[in-house]
Amino acid sequence: MTEHGFEHPDVIICPGGPLLLRGDHVVEDADGVAHETRRPVSAVCRCGKSADQPWCDGTHKVLPARDRP
Amino acid sequence: MLLPKARGELSEALFEALRSETGEVGSLHLRPTDQDDAHIALWAMYELHYAGFEDVDDELEWDPDVLGLRRLLERDFEAGLRSRHTATTLDEPFAEGLFAYVADHDGPSLAAYVQRTADREQVLELLRHRSIYHLKESDPVAWTVPRLPTAPKAALIELQYDEFGGGDPNRLHAHLFALGLEASGLRADPYAYIDDVPVEILELNNAMSLFGLHRRLRAASLGHLAAFEATSSLPSRRMAQGLARLELPQEMIAYYEEHVEADAVHEQLAVRTICGALVADEPHLVDDVVFGAFTCLDLEDRYAQRMLGEWEAA
Ligand code: FES
């Protein structure tokens, strides 16, 4: 907690995992296709290995430590 | 919905008392015949706090004798769960430590079997078993909400809002599962299959209600949630692939596909913003977070062992 209340960031970078986005956004994937977020918090893949781009599908957890973001 | 079938002397006597007008549970001094008997009795008493039963007076939800019997069975159950758990110190930082604890737990995988090997009948059996929980998905942990301090409370609701469809009943996860069941030719009314489920499924469900209904166990409830979410995305993909291989209906496949993406978010929230915020507030609760996480993994293993044993022997 800070002096003024709680930390509540819009974007959270998860070590070794995705980037969490709070709220409504449009995310463009590597092929230039736009995807709208559909839930209160979305997880954007940072490891590049998700089969569900641009969203994280948990695949980062089975990557060797050196390949995790 | 009516009371389930009794599975032994205690549940027989309990269900009879619950059905009678007087509801005289106080005279029950029976010990359960076995675990099946104990867990169906406990499951039914918990159910009085959810949707209840048509053949049981709603007044009995808070009957002191029912609560007394519930407490006896819960004590044995919790003691058994704790005896299987070895206290562990998580690595720092907390979130990475908890993720590593879950990842290091090695158990048999039902999802891998469904993905590659299971036949249609086996998958339908699994769906019938899973229906007991999935038709009230996320309800047990909702009991935990008012027992939390500010930051983990807000964080849990952020996750549950998504479980409950973000306000849209069409997207509520339990409803998606009901659509999947119907499309698969199965019954979607709650607990239609309760009489068919093995004791391991009753234990899985009872553990969530035990943790949810006791403020004392609020950290175990959240630890359970974290382990559940952190073992969901990749297995849900395998389930979806297995269902597609067996040409099950798209509605059922869609339920699992939704969980690939949703639970990749939920595991981060459960571990970081929910459990992380709880232990930041109340550091002494970390052991119960781990106990809850272990219990989730352990009970899931026991169910998987049983089903794989039965299927592979067939
Ligand atoms: S960050 Fe999770 S799959 Fe890429």
Side-chain angles (χ1 to χ4, degrees):
Chain A
M1 195 161 81
T2 66
E3 215 182 311
H4 304 291
F6 295 88
E7 308 269 5
H8 191 62
D10 298 322
V11 179
I12 301 174
I13 293 173
C14 303
L19 179 148
L20 301 182
L21 274 183
R22 284 198 165 104
D24 296 336
H25 302 274
V26 179
V27 176
E28 191 177 287
D29 68 20
D31 300 326
V33 182
H35 301 260
E36 283 182 25
T37 56
R38 298 189 298 121
R39 45 186 87 251
V41 185
S42 306
V44 180
C45 174
R46 292 200 303 142
C47 74
K49 297 290 192 293
S50 166
D52 186 26
Q53 294 292 337
W55 315 120
C56 167
D57 67 355
T59 299
H60 63 268
K61 293 196 288 184
V62 294
L63 300 178
R66 63 169 195 285
D67 292 343
R68 292 189 202 172
Chain B
M1 183 181 49
L2 301 175
L3 278 167
K5 279 207 186 83
R7 297 192 184 196
E9 277 183 46
L10 174 70
S11 50
E12 181 84 54
L14 170 67
F15 295 171
E16 208 169 295
L18 289 175
R19 267 189 221 106
S20 73
E21 299 251 303
T22 50
E24 276 181 15
V25 175
S27 54
L28 286 182
H29 297 295
L30 292 168
R31 295 295 302 160
T33 308
D34 55 17
Q35 289 298 307
D36 265 89
D37 189 25
H39 278 287
I40 196 69
L42 189 53
W43 182 85
M45 287 189 282
Y46 281 143
E47 184 49 37
L48 298 176
H49 299 291
Y50 295 94
F53 300 99
E54 285 157 44
D55 51 348
V56 179
D57 186 344
D58 285 341
E59 279 286 330
L60 290 174
E61 179 185 354
W62 293 104
D63 180 88
D65 295 328
V66 176
L67 296 178
L69 177 61
R70 192 187 103 189
R71 195 68 204 109
L72 278 178
L73 297 180
E74 282 181 320
R75 283 215 177 94
D76 280 355
F77 181 34
E78 185 182 341
L81 294 176
R82 287 197 184 273
S83 73
R84 299 175 61 86
H85 169 59
T86 314
T88 315
T89 310
L90 295 181
D91 291 344
E92 293 285 342
F94 170 81
E96 276 58 46
L98 186 53
F99 269 124
Y101 177 79
V102 173
D104 288 347
H105 181 97
D106 216 4
S109 169
L110 280 173
Y113 190 82
V114 168
Q115 181 187 27
R116 291 192 286 265
T117 318
D119 64 27
R120 197 181 167 93
E121 272 318 302
Q122 291 167 337
V123 169
L124 293 177
E125 183 181 21
L126 181 67
L127 295 174
R128 290 196 296 273
H129 293 172
R130 293 294 192 198
S131 71
I132 307 301
Y133 175 63
H134 288 332
L135 290 174
K136 65 171 174 206
E137 189 164 321
S138 213
D139 287 354
V141 75
W143 302 120
T144 307
V145 175
R147 285 133 193 200
L148 297 175
T150 306
K153 177 186 281 179
L156 178 55
I157 285 297
E158 189 171 50
L159 182 153
Q160 289 223 291
Y161 189 60
D162 198 27
E163 288 283 344
F164 293 143
D168 178 355
N170 296 299
R171 292 191 49 220
L172 192 114
H173 283 180
H175 176 69
L176 296 180
F177 195 74
L179 294 181
L181 287 173
E182 274 169 10
S184 307
L186 297 172
R187 289 175 58 186
D189 45 325
Y191 318 133
Y193 299 109
I194 190 67
D195 293 332
D196 306 334
V197 305
V199 67
E200 289 82 0
I201 284 288
L202 298 174
E203 285 182 287
L204 282 168
N205 280 273
N206 286 344
M208 286 185 269
S209 296
L210 170 73
F211 294 162
L213 284 167
H214 290 261
R215 179 178 54 79
R216 176 176 61 83
L217 296 172
R218 63 197 179 283
S221 177
L222 299 187
H224 185 290
L225 172 72
F228 191 97
E229 300 288 359
T231 50
S232 177
S233 279
L234 297 171
S236 291
R237 156 104 357 102
R238 295 179 147 182
M239 286 293 300
Q241 287 170 344
L243 298 182
R245 172 178 66 80
L246 293 165
E247 298 178 359
L248 267 93
Q250 186 50 42
E251 289 87 340
M252 200 77 245
I253 297 170
Y255 170 85
Y256 285 99
E257 283 173 344
E258 159 68 8
H259 283 75
V260 173
E261 196 184 300
D263 293 348
V265 181
H266 294 177
E267 66 178 351
Q268 299 295 339
L269 297 178
V271 170
R272 295 176 195 281
T273 64
I274 301 174
C275 289
L278 181 73
V279 301
D281 251 40
E282 302 183 83
H284 65 283
L285 291 179
V286 69
D287 289 343
D288 266 1
V289 169
V290 179
F291 167 57
F294 172 80
T295 298
C296 174
L297 302 168
D298 181 48
L299 293 178
E300 195 52 51
D301 281 356
R302 284 154 74 182
Y303 174 60
Q305 263 152 15
R306 179 192 182 108
M307 297 318 292
L308 292 174
E310 282 182 15
W311 290 343
E312 278 160 5

